[in-house]
Amino acid sequence: MVSTLDLAPWEHSAQGAGSNADTWTQLPPLFTTAGQALDRAGRPDYFGWLDHIRAAAGCTRPIRLTGSVHTVEANTGRILDARHTDQLPDAAIYKACGNRRGSVCPSCSRTYQRDAYQLLRAGLVGGKGVPETVSRHPAVFATFVAPSFGTVHTRRVRKHTCTDRRRCDCRPEPCHARRDAGTCSHGQPAVCWARHDRDEPLLGQPLCLDCYDHDHQAVFNLFAAELWHRTKQTAERALRKLARSRRIPFPQLVDANGKARRVSPVRLSHGKAAEMQRRGAVHFHVLVRLDGVDSNDPAAMIPPPAGLTLDDLAQAVTDAAASTGFATPAHPDRPDGWPMAWGDEGKGKFVDIRPITLTGVGEVSDGMVAGYLAKYATKSTEATGHTTTRITGDNVDTHADAEGDHIARLIDACWRIGRATHTPAPLGDRPKRQPGLDTEPAGSGPPANPYARLRRWAHMLGYGGHFLTKARRYSVTFKILRDTRVDFRRQQERTDETAGVVRSVDHLDAETTLIVGTLTFAGVGWHTSGDALLANTAAAMARARHEAGREELAHEAGLQVVASALRAA
């Protein structure tokens, strides 16, 4: 078995390290990857090196750390042992990059995806510290779609006959079939009779680039998170009003100052994943759960009052999606701002609401929807074909083009609208280099231009939010899942019984021996492409063994179910 990960440095349009450092000066410069791998595998300390890099073996671009590591007695502070990374293989400690994007690091993104699945599913059925009573809360799966900014090539199936949508081979409808075939104002065809395949590059591309409103789409991506925030507030107000009309008592909470106030008897908790469509517009898949409010413990997750049902939740979210909207701040190019709203008002489609079943069957079950959202948590702009890193004034000319293709025009819109407000001149009439907007994050105060973030997130087509977010009381956090995994590994790897329990400095709840590291960043990537080949291949083989083990356990469980059914019959 060989690794399928990249073994050569990446070609980046922006400054950054490649996948491998290739700084091993002991080998000839023209040494092949296979030769590097054979040289490493032939060394006496090869298996020790494999054990040393095991924690980051599957990572495409591991982080190398150098420095000293001390073993300290917690009670007295006495140093029991001191080691320097010079004594370790490669004179460095390897740490996985932890990147969530599958296109950047498949191994780390898989860990992130599994954590996301557990986090999202725990908010529906409980576990991981979440009470199992949440399974009795009404919950819906809502998809908030972006509005239309122009006609694009699409693949639409009227009635599916396939069993797996991921491998759908159903015959689609014509893309944009019209009786009055003609051209737009720019002379481009306004119809498309083609039946597009699932992987056709033309999908998501406008029929006419000049008719498409690239500016509006870039602004929508920038303010989409704010639109969702206001939509959730509107739905909560509607439920509060409904509870008052049905005479549901409002709990009374007492704050830290002793002041009492009445609050709504229900609140919405959500887990949200963003998806970048092929046209480059972002839309949200949201798990919305209806919770009650306990006056004695406001942080508790309790079922909502009996007077509010699943239908009430679905109706509140639907009405909020249709009614919520606002205008963005004024801009020199558009003094009235751009309108922000969900969906296509002409077609009357703003949101798709589906109830969630917790029995494992049905159109949308808890496991299906958690896996669906976790999948999008590891993606970014790959669906559009655009995968560049941060865009700056040095490389913007490579990606932005007002007369280019669809993605180039979106990036140009981000760069042009995100300019400083005191320079309303077109992009070509002024210097493009603005370090304050290109590289520095937004300050604590309000920016002079509310659209300045478009330049910082031009490589994301204007969307600067997280691809997976949740309400504070929806479920556990990623930190809790990571700490649990770290504790489990420490228990598995503890071999020296005389040394006692070895923990890091953030565990001071008991008498322990602490590991204190003073480490500094040394670089990114493996030393050579041969090291990457060996490390990634070993990790791929380990993953294959784990997958085979899981499949075998699932097969044995299935045989036990069948045997039990036969005995019962």
Side-chain angles (χ1 to χ4, degrees):
M1 179 178 293
V2 296
S3 171
T4 58
L5 302 181
D6 65 319
L7 301 177
W10 291 354
E11 186 272 329
H12 282 280
S13 58
Q15 295 179 355
S19 297
N20 310 311
D22 283 316
T23 57
W24 202 353
T25 58
Q26 295 178 357
L27 296 179
L30 300 179
F31 217 83
T32 63
T33 299
Q36 294 173 352
L38 288 173
D39 182 86
R40 170 69 78 174
R43 296 187 174 193
D45 62 345
Y46 171 63
F47 291 101
W49 176 80
L50 277 181
D51 185 69
H52 176 64
I53 56 97
R54 181 175 56 179
C59 183
T60 307
R61 302 173 66 224
I63 299 172
R64 301 193 305 275
L65 303 174
T66 59
S68 59
V69 179
H70 296 81
T71 303
V72 182
E73 190 175 24
N75 295 335
T76 63
R78 183 167 57 95
I79 297 179
L80 303 178
D81 182 48
R83 295 186 182 183
H84 197 275
T85 54
D86 291 342
Q87 305 171 6
L88 301 176
D90 294 344
I93 293 177
Y94 289 95
K95 182 182 181 302
C97 67
N99 197 295
R100 67 163 186 87
R101 295 177 61 176
S103 60
V104 175
C105 185
S107 178
C108 293
S109 68
R110 182 173 299 185
T111 302
Y112 184 91
Q113 182 177 5
R114 290 173 176 172
D115 284 353
Y117 174 84
Q118 297 295 337
L119 182 149
L120 293 167
R121 191 170 184 269
L124 296 175
V125 299
K128 310 297 181 183
V130 180
E132 295 182 358
T133 55
V134 296
S135 61
R136 300 198 295 267
H137 298 204
V140 296
F141 177 52
T143 300
F144 294 85
V145 296
S148 174
F149 306 103
T151 307
V152 298
H153 292 277
T154 184
R155 184 179 188 272
R156 182 171 55 254
V157 178
R158 181 173 299 178
K159 185 177 181 180
H160 284 275
T161 58
C162 58
T163 57
D164 189 354
R165 295 289 180 89
R166 293 173 298 181
R167 299 177 178 86
C168 175
D169 57 355
C170 301
R171 188 169 186 261
E173 299 295 318
C175 178
H176 286 286
R178 298 178 183 176
R179 294 181 181 272
D180 53 342
T183 59
C184 66
S185 59
H186 302 95
Q188 298 296 325
V191 296
C192 179
W193 292 91
R195 301 177 189 268
H196 298 297
D197 295 332
R198 294 177 63 251
D199 299 327
E200 192 167 333
L202 197 60
L203 290 175
Q205 300 299 313
L207 269 67
C208 178
L209 287 170
D210 294 326
C211 291
Y212 199 86
D213 195 347
H214 295 89
D215 290 5
H216 193 182
Q217 178 171 319
V219 172
F220 178 87
N221 288 345
L222 179 66
F223 287 93
E226 175 64 20
L227 179 60
W228 154 249
H229 177 68
R230 298 192 183 197
T231 302
K232 181 182 177 182
Q233 288 182 331
T234 303
E236 288 180 326
R237 291 193 204 99
L239 291 170
R240 182 170 62 246
K241 184 178 180 180
L242 185 61
R244 184 178 289 109
S245 65
R246 295 180 179 177
R247 300 185 181 279
I248 297 176
F250 279 48
Q252 180 174 293
L253 299 183
V254 180
D255 58 18
N257 297 326
K259 295 182 179 180
R261 59 187 178 93
R262 297 283 180 180
V263 297
S264 173
V266 293
R267 61 170 170 246
L268 296 182
S269 298
H270 75 276
K272 173 174 65 69
E275 177 191 0
M276 188 69 72
Q277 297 175 303
R278 294 194 182 190
R279 57 175 173 155
V282 68
H283 68 182
F284 295 142
H285 303 287
V286 190
L287 292 172
V288 185
R289 190 186 69 207
L290 186 62
D291 296 342
V293 177
D294 188 353
S295 57
N296 298 321
D297 186 7
M301 302 178 187
I302 64 173
L308 295 175
T309 64
L310 176 64
D311 294 337
D312 297 327
L313 171 62
Q315 190 62 45
V317 175
T318 302
D319 294 343
S323 60
T324 304
F326 63 95
T328 62
H331 189 274
D333 294 348
R334 187 150 179 165
D336 296 333
W338 285 268
M340 290 291 299
W342 298 113
D344 191 348
E345 186 175 0
K347 297 181 179 179
K349 183 179 180 182
F350 304 94
V351 64
D352 181 25
I353 301 288
R354 300 185 184 183
I356 301 174
T357 62
L358 302 178
T359 59
V361 297
E363 185 179 1
V364 179
S365 65
D366 57 293
M368 292 167 53
V369 73
Y372 187 73
L373 268 66
K375 176 185 69 173
Y376 285 112
T378 62
K379 298 183 181 296
S380 185
T381 58
E382 292 84 1
T384 66
H386 175 73
T387 57
T388 59
T389 54
R390 187 82 65 184
I391 295 177
T392 66
D394 296 330
N395 61 6
V396 63
D397 290 332
T398 307
H399 304 286
D401 186 359
E403 302 296 331
D405 60 11
H406 179 52
I407 299 301
R409 296 191 184 203
L410 283 174
I411 297 175
D412 175 77
C414 293
W415 203 261
R416 175 168 35 83
I417 299 174
R419 67 182 183 269
T421 53
H422 63 276
T423 57
L427 183 63
D429 298 341
R430 57 186 171 76
K432 296 173 183 168
R433 182 68 176 172
Q434 295 187 31
L437 295 178
D438 297 344
T439 58
E440 297 297 330
S444 57
N449 178 11
Y451 300 91
R453 292 175 61 247
L454 278 174
R455 287 199 165 189
R456 180 170 177 79
W457 299 106
H459 66 292
M460 299 294 295
L461 309 182
Y463 181 69
H466 292 285
F467 273 76
L468 180 66
T469 59
K470 70 174 189 66
R472 181 175 54 181
R473 297 184 179 92
Y474 173 78
S475 182
V476 296
T477 62
F478 279 105
K479 183 179 185 303
I480 292 177
L481 296 178
R482 287 193 296 266
D483 290 345
T484 303
R485 184 164 53 249
V486 169
D487 290 339
F488 175 80
R489 288 177 177 173
R490 284 176 180 150
Q491 295 296 328
Q492 293 292 320
E493 297 175 357
R494 192 198 321 167
T495 57
D496 188 357
E497 298 180 357
T498 61
V501 180
V502 179
R503 301 191 180 187
S504 60
V505 293
D506 56 344
H507 294 80
L508 301 176
D509 55 344
E511 296 181 0
T512 60
T513 301
L514 305 179
I515 301 297
V516 182
T518 305
L519 303 173
T520 59
F521 174 79
V524 176
W526 300 100
H527 276 289
T528 67
S529 298
D531 287 357
L533 174 64
L534 293 172
N536 295 334
T537 301
M541 295 176 66
R543 288 195 298 268
R545 288 195 298 269
H546 294 163
E547 292 292 340
R550 278 192 289 267
E551 292 177 0
E552 184 64 24
L553 291 175
H555 179 66
E556 292 179 358
L559 292 178
Q560 294 177 0
V561 172
V562 172
S564 300
L566 292 176
R567 285 194 299 267

